[in-house]
């Protein structure tokens, strides 16, 4: 057990406590395993990596049979059972391991021989949605098979979320807390040698830069960088792999002025001024994983939110009538149906104003229908508004009607109800794009959208 | 018979491979006759006709040209994509752990067109033998289970297809064995992994598994998320590459995939050419190319581009529309077989029958030709003697073809001349100018006058530069496109002297500047300011003012400039860019203008058609009993459904069924006996009439015009307006 922990500790800094506990529980195949362990913690805290390494060590040192599977992949119970059997039973039996149900599974598992068995299930929260017997059976599999077997469940949720009416047998819960800032920095700093080696390799052909790199690239320098980096990112993201990836990406930018000789390696404040912009840009791109040079990202994300909407509306190429259909859908979604006559008919008669209605109409921002979100409308109303706002006369043809379904496909419109019975006219749609977007589209086709919105009258 | 026997009776299918073998033999057999008889749909008598030969030749030329062009436009993006996929195979193991390489292809809307792009992509990958490809449609992916099964099946089968194509005999046994082993429910990732492990050695190590989702937007978000998570989990052992076809924008991807999914993929964005740009290119290079004898009239051309730009952005749809026009044109008769190359047309003339000649005589543009002949005898000969007309035809054909060549060359000149004027009064693209020139005599239109006015206001340098550019471009066009053609030499000969004259006039303009350098000196500093003026009126006002100010000094170059413009107008615009009605005789053989037929056939208007059918059944049935003098007339001999429909048109939103029935009865009975309708209302309703009414109403409901109301008993709701 001690050797096991000793092997794992350097791989997972700041997880010594968890490793020790796990080692005490399942570190030795000669002792009886607990029936199930529930390992939970937020994403990027090392659950899967730790378990995988542990299983590998166990099978290597003690000949324990292990299975590691992902619950998402197991869209049927059969796949899960066969996958487990595949890894746990002896492989030379030929390629057809078959287990259609739990009984067969348990039966076959009983026949296996090994000092111990470990089964790890990733994304264990999905087990709740599978067949009702899966989770209870997994939790008491040891009892059922009378083997030295332990099931490790990995999930992001606390175990309380798994309780159901029939009850579950107790498990040992182990929480992996999020790394705090110091720990994060320590972990990120642990790959210093690798980064340095990588850099030196990269500049091997450029002796001038190589020299600067060799002198500047010290542990302190790297830690300073990580400190700056985390001061921006730690509030937004605690997912370690993500941080690691972004840190490496930004480090090249950080190092650039030093390599050019523009800034001294020790001049941290100037380096900070240099890196602050790119870091903020990278912050908006985090998790998106778009492979582009960082400068381009900075350029695109530097623009304000409304500008990006404008860009989107302009870059989205829609046929002319589809644009008008989209505008009509937006108007139908954000105007009350009883206002249509006033908005779209030329001679709609005079409106009587009474104090009561005036007061009721006095719009506050909470009442603005553009901020309340879209209402649903029928296809007839959509077409009526379309014809009202379009100046020219067009026939109601197949091509036009098929544009509605195109817009639905592009998720610019969506069905609210009655998707199945479009034929009898009871299907209702709503428009999913925002005001800003429609205003831009209106500008492209030369149509003032605001003029036709009740909110702005 | 004992009732329990049926339980034990049943039909069982024993699968023993026989069906598969049979199917295979069938497909082989079917392939061979296909290649020999190209078109089995049309009878021999049609296929043998000269017009059909010409049609198929013209179509194969055009479609080949278009395909070629599209291949080239796709090529750049596809090369990048293929390079991306291949590069994934060369990545080192360290950084591909659990992260799925993904390419997002921004395709623009209209998804049916994109399938062809992805097909081309697949072919390229196959050609390089770099990957197994599976195109995963959203309709196959309602759940994760079906998605994974379809994908695995596709990947494994894709391999088989390639193998069978390349080394058919060798791999046949393997194919048989593999496919027998494979059932849909067996297609799991485990299976795929073992399959990959087995085949990897044979296929070489850098074989990627490419999964293409051509319509990203149509996938349900949850399925897609799970699917990506599964793929990324297997990334370590199976080299997956995901390709997303995104119709809208990248924000759609980020909107669909939450952080924990999007952090599992490594996304690279590729952009394809926008559809309108592709269309313009296709029009310029193919449809407006002088190579083809077939032309669309301005209206037909505008109609097709209109469908594209206003409705669907579908290049495929556009091509089909064009093909329809082509078919319609040639199908009009054998005389239209003359719409081809000059030398081929000469050969065809001999074989024309009397009827064909008559159809040529009936062409609208033939009459002016006859009228302009002075000699009485010759008129009679042209109108009655086929042989005489056949002798005359080559000259007419030649004139006509030459006209189109000259038209096209002059169009090139005009496009360059007016294309970049502010606000583009005549349009800036070839297609717009083509439509304008074809439709009406362009020199008489106000837009044209505006253009000419603007050109007149240009400074000398700008004007000289512009016209020189026009001349150069036309020369280039003549040299590259026209001169290789059969009548190209004649066209170039016709064009050259005119261009020369214009060049000469231009020299005069340039000289005018050098003669009065002080004029140029005063003009020049003003010129840049003009460019900044925003509105046209302002520009016009300023220019007018300025021209007044230094009228006396600017006089000589201005007149020279006007003279050049005059020259261009008389030679090119009035000479060559003539509208269709002024085109040479028998141009109908080359120009398709029957837009009404096309509109009726390629634009479906279901609601209008239904309304016509119900409102006026005579239109379709052509029966004698239902002839109506007036659209709203109600006759008892109309079909019941039609009567019910017409009555329902008179009602408001809610229709009382009983009133409707009464009206129906009065119409139906009214025809039989005019008197006693009042007493009839009190009487019991004839069950037969009631049954007819009920049935008609049910049919109307089935057609989607009404719905039975739930709120009010015995009322129906109208659904259409």
């Amino acid at each position: 057990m001690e050797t096991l922990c000793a092997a794992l500790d350097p791989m997972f800094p700041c997880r010594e406590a968890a490793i020790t506990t796990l080692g005490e529980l399942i570190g030795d195949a000669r002792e009886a395993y607990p029936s199930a362990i529930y390992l939970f913690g937020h994403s990027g805290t090392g659950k899967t990596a730790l378990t995988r390494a542990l299983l590998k060590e166990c099978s290597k040192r003690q000949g324990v049979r292990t299975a590691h599977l992902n619950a998402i992949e197991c869209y049927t119970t059969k796949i899960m059972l066969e996958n487990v059997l595949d890894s746990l039973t002896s492989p030379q039996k030929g390629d057809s391991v078959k287990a259609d149900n739990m009984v067969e599974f348990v039966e076959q598992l009983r026949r296996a021989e090994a000092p111990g068995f470990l089964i790890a299930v990733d994304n264990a929260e999905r087990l709740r949605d599978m067949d009702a017997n899966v989770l209870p059976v997994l939790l008491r599999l040891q009892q059922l098979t009378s083997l030295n077997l332990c099931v490790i469940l990995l999930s992001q949720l606390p175990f309380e979320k798994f309780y159901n009416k029939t009850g579950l047998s107790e498990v040992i819960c182990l929480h992996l807390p999020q790394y705090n800032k110091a720990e994060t920095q320590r972990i990120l700093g642990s790959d210093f040698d690798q980064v340095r080696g990588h850099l030196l390799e990269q500049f091997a052909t450029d002796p001038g830069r190589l020299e600067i790199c060799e002198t500047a690239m010290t542990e302190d320098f790297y830690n300073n960088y990580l400190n700056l980096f985390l001061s921006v990112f730690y509030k937004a993201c605690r997912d370690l792999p993500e941080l690691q990836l972004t840190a490496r990406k930004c480090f090249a930018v950080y190092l650039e002025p030093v390599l050019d000789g523009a800034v001294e390696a020790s001049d941290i404040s100037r380096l900070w001024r240099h890196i602050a912009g790119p870091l903020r840009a990278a912050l908006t791109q985090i998790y998106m994983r778009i492979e582009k040079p960082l400068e381009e990202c900075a350029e695109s994300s530097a623009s304000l939110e409304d500008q990006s909407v404008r860009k989107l509306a302009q870059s989205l190429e829609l046929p002319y009538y589809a644009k008008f259909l989209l505008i009509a859908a937006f108007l139908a979604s954000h105007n009350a149906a009883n206002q249509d006559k006033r908005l779209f008919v030329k001679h709609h008669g005079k409106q009587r104003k009474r104090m009561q209605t005036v007061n009721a109409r006095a719009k506050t921002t909470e009442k603005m229908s553009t901020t309340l979100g879209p209402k649903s409308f029928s296809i007839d109303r959509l077409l009526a508004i379309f014809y009202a706002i379009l100046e020219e006369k067009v026939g109601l043809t197949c091509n036009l009607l098929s544009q509605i379904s195109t817009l639905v496909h592009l998720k610019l419109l969506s069905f609210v109800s009655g998707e199945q019975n479009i034929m009898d006219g009871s299907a209702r749609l709503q428009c999913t794009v925002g005001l800003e977007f429609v205003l831009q589209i209106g500008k492209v086709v030369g149509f003032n959208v605001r003029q036709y919105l009740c909110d702005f009258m | 018979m004992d009732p329990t026997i049926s339980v034990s009776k049943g039909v069982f299918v024993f699968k023993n491979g026989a069906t598969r073998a049979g199917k295979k033999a069938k497909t082989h057999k079917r392939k061979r006759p296909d290649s020999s008889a190209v078109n089995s749909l049309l009878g021999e008598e049609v296929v043998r006709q000269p017009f059909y030969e010409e049609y198929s030749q013209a179509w194969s030329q055009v479609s080949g040209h278009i395909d070629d062009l599209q291949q080239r436009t796709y090529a750049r993006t596809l090369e990048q994509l293929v390079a991306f996929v291949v590069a994934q195979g060369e990545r080192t193991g360290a950084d591909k752990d659990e992260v799925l390489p993904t390419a997002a292809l921004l395709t623009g809307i209209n998804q049916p067109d994109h399938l062809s792009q992805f097909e081309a992509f697949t072919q390229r990958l196959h050609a390089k033998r770099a990957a197994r490809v599976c195109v995963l449609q959203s309709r196959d992916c309602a759940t994760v289970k079906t998605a994974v099964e379809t994908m695995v099946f596709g990947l494994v089968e894709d391999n088989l297809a390639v193998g069978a194509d390349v080394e058919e005999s060798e791999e046949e046994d393997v194919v048989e064995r593999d496919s027998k082993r494979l059932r849909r429910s067996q297609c799991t990732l485990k299976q795929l992994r073992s399959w990959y492990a087995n085949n990897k050695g044979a296929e070489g190590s850098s074989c990627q598994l490419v999964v293409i989702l051509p319509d990203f937007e149509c996938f349900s978000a949850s399925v897609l998320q799970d699917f990506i998570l599964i793929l990324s989990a297997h990334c370590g052992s199976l080299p997956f590459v995901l390709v997303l076809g995104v119709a809208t924008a990248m924000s759609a991807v980020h909107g669909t995939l939450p952080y924990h999914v999007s952090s599992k993929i490594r996304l690279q964005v590729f952009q394809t050419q926008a559809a309108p740009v592709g269309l313009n290119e296709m029009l310029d290079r193919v449809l407006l190319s002088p190579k083809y004898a077939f032309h669309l009239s301005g209206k037909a051309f505008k109609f097709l581009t209109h469908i594209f730009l206003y409705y669907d952005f579908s290049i495929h749809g556009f091509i089909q529309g064009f093909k329809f026009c082509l078919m319609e044109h040639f199908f009009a008769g054998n005389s239209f077989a003359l719409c081809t190359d000059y030398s081929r047309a000469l050969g065809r003339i001999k074989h024309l029958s009397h009827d064909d000649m008559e159809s040529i005589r009936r062409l609208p543009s033939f009459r002016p030709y006859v009228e302009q002949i002075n000699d009485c005898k010759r008129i009679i000969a042209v109108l009655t003697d086929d042989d005489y007309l056949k002798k005359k035809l080559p000259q007419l054909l030649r004139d006509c073809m030459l006209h189109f060549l000259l038209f096209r060359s002059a169009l090139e000149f005009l496009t360059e001349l007016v294309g970049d004027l502010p606000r583009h009064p005549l349009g800036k693209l070839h297609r717009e100018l083509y439509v304008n020139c074809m439709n009406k005599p362009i020199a008489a239109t106000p837009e044209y006058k505006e253009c000419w006015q603007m050109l007149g206001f240009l400074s000398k340098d700008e004007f000289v530069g512009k016209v020189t550019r026009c001349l150069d471009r036309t020369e280039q066009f003549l040299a590259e496109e026209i001169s290789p053609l059969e009548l190209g030499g004649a066209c170039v000969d016709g064009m050259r002297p005119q261009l020369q004259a214009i060049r000469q006039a231009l020299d005069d303009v340039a000289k005018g500047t050098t003669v009065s350098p002080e004029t140029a000196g005063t003009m020049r500093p003003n010129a840049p300011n003009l460019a900044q003026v925003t509105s046209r009126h302002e520009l016009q006002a300023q220019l007018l003012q300025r021209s007044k100010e230094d009228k006396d000094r600017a006089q000589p170059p201005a007149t020279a400039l006007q003279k050049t413009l005059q020259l261009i107008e008389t030679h090119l615009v009035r000479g060559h860019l003539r509208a269709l009605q002024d085109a040479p005789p028998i141009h109908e053989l080359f120009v398709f203008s029957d837009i009404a037929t096309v509109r009726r056939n390629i634009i479906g208007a279901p609601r209008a058609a239904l309304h016509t059918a119900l409102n006026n059944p005579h239109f379709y049935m052509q029966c004698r009993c239902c002839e109506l003098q007036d659209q709203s007339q109600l006759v008892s001999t109309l079909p019941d459904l039609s009567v019910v429909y017409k009555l329902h048109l008179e009602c408001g939103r809610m229709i009382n069924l009983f009133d409707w029935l009464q009206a129906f009865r009065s119409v139906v009975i009214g025809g039989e006996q005019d008197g006693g309708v009042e007493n009839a209302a009190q009487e019991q309703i004839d069950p037969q009439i009631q049954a007819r009414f009920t049935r008609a109403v049910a049919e109307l409901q089935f057609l989607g015009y009404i719905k039975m109301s739930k709120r009010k008993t015995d009322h129906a709701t109208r659904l259409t307006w």
Side-chain angles (χ1 to χ4, degrees), chain A residues 72-73 75 83 86 126 242 287-291 312 317 319-321 380 397-398 403 409-411 424, chain B residues 109 148 190 217 219 226 229 234 247 249 254 259 262-263 265-268 276 309-311 603-604 719:
Chain A
I72 293 179
E73 198 183 309
Y75 41 83
N83 277 347
D86 236 13
R126 298 290 180 115
E242 196 62 46
Y287 286 118
M288 286 189 182
R289 297 283 175 99
I290 295 183
E291 285 203 341
L312 178 64
E317 300 222 332
Y320 189 71
Y321 291 146
D380 272 348
T397 60
C398 287
Q403 283 309 303
H409 270 187
L410 296 178
K411 306 220 163 148
D424 72 359
Chain B
I109 80 151
V148 171
K190 200 177 87 181
E217 274 85 359
F219 279 84
D226 281 0
L229 285 178
H234 282 272
H254 293 136
Y259 281 165
S262 72
S263 67
I265 61 178
R266 191 152 36 77
L267 204 59
Q268 190 146 2
L309 290 174
Y310 283 53
Y311 288 103
I603 290 202
L719 294 173

Side-chain angles (χ1 to χ4, degrees), chain B residues 436-674:
Chain B
N436 280 331
C437 295
M438 277 291 232
N439 275 349
K440 44 190 178 280
I442 194 166
T445 58
E447 290 90 357
Y448 173 84
K449 296 212 169 96
E450 198 184 325
C451 274
W452 241 238
Q453 206 171 9
M454 271 195 259
L455 286 171
F457 288 142
L458 285 177
S459 80
K460 306 297 158 294
D461 292 343
E462 278 174 351
F463 183 77
V464 172
K466 194 182 210 2
V467 179
T468 317
R469 252 180 294 135
C470 297
L471 288 168
D472 291 346
R473 183 160 155 189
T474 318
E475 290 282 0
Q476 192 192 351
F477 182 77
L478 286 174
E480 283 176 7
E481 302 266 343
I482 301 276
S483 51
L485 299 175
E486 204 175 354
L487 290 173
C491 174
V492 172
D493 291 345
M495 207 67 185
R496 277 267 157 73
Q498 292 168 356
L499 294 181
Q500 213 57 48
I502 293 169
R503 210 176 273 276
Q504 214 120 53
L506 203 62
D507 284 346
D508 289 349
V509 178
K511 254 180 234 151
T513 338
T514 50
V515 166
S516 53
E518 77 279 8
T519 326
T522 51
M523 289 296 283
R524 213 167 269 149
N526 292 337
N529 293 347
L530 295 182
Q532 289 158 8
V533 173
T534 46
S535 94
R536 195 179 69 244
H537 293 294
E538 216 173 308
L539 174 86
Q540 204 167 328
Q542 281 192 19
L543 281 169
L544 274 176
Q545 199 187 352
R546 260 176 221 167
S547 66
K548 252 177 222 162
E549 273 172 16
D550 41 25
K551 203 167 197 173
D552 41 2
R553 286 181 294 175
Q555 203 67 14
T559 46
L561 193 151
Q562 288 301 338
K563 234 170 81 186
T564 318
L565 279 179
Q566 196 66 42
L567 210 58
I568 294 174
E569 180 168 328
T570 46
H571 280 329
L572 296 180
V573 179
R574 288 187 199 280
H576 300 317
L577 289 172
R578 277 175 289 168
L580 203 54
Q581 62 253 38
D582 306 329
I586 69 165
H587 66 260
E588 282 90 348
L589 289 181
F590 300 93
V591 180
F592 177 78
S593 53
D594 187 6
I595 185 167
T597 323
V598 184
R599 189 197 300 273
R600 202 166 56 234
N601 284 305
I602 72 173
I603 290 202
R607 221 155 136 167
L610 264 178
H611 178 79
T612 321
L614 292 172
N615 206 31
N616 185 11
H618 177 73
F619 186 83
Y620 288 108
M621 304 217 282
Q622 298 293 327
C623 56
R624 209 170 294 152
C625 56
C626 304
E627 266 179 281
L628 300 178
Q629 275 92 45
D630 178 25
Q631 286 287 318
S632 56
Q633 203 182 0
L634 270 166
V635 186
S636 61
T637 50
L638 287 173
D640 291 347
L641 179 60
S642 177
V643 174
V644 168
Y645 175 77
K646 284 186 145 185
L647 287 170
H648 117 285
L649 285 183
E650 293 162 8
C651 297
R653 187 163 183 80
M654 300 294 262
I655 310 169
N656 187 329
L657 280 178
F658 186 73
D659 296 348
W660 202 3
L661 172 62
Q662 290 294 354
F664 178 75
R665 184 175 67 152
S666 65
V667 170
V668 174
I669 293 181
E672 288 157 17
Q673 55 198 60
D674 270 328

Side-chain angles (χ1 to χ4, degrees), chain B residues 49-61 291 293 330 334-352 394 397 401 486-487 590:
Chain B
Q49 296 283 323
F51 79 84
Y52 187 80
E53 280 171 27
E54 287 308 327
Y55 155 72
S56 52
Q57 203 213 351
W59 170 240
S60 65
Q61 260 182 358
K291 266 198 282 185
F330 280 102
N334 274 336
S335 52
F336 285 83
L338 294 179
C339 174
T340 176
D341 302 340
Y342 184 55
S343 53
R344 281 172 68 92
L346 290 186
R348 292 258 177 229
I349 289 178
K350 274 183 267 154
H351 305 293
L352 289 178
L397 287 175
M401 287 175 176
E486 204 175 354
L487 290 173
F590 300 93

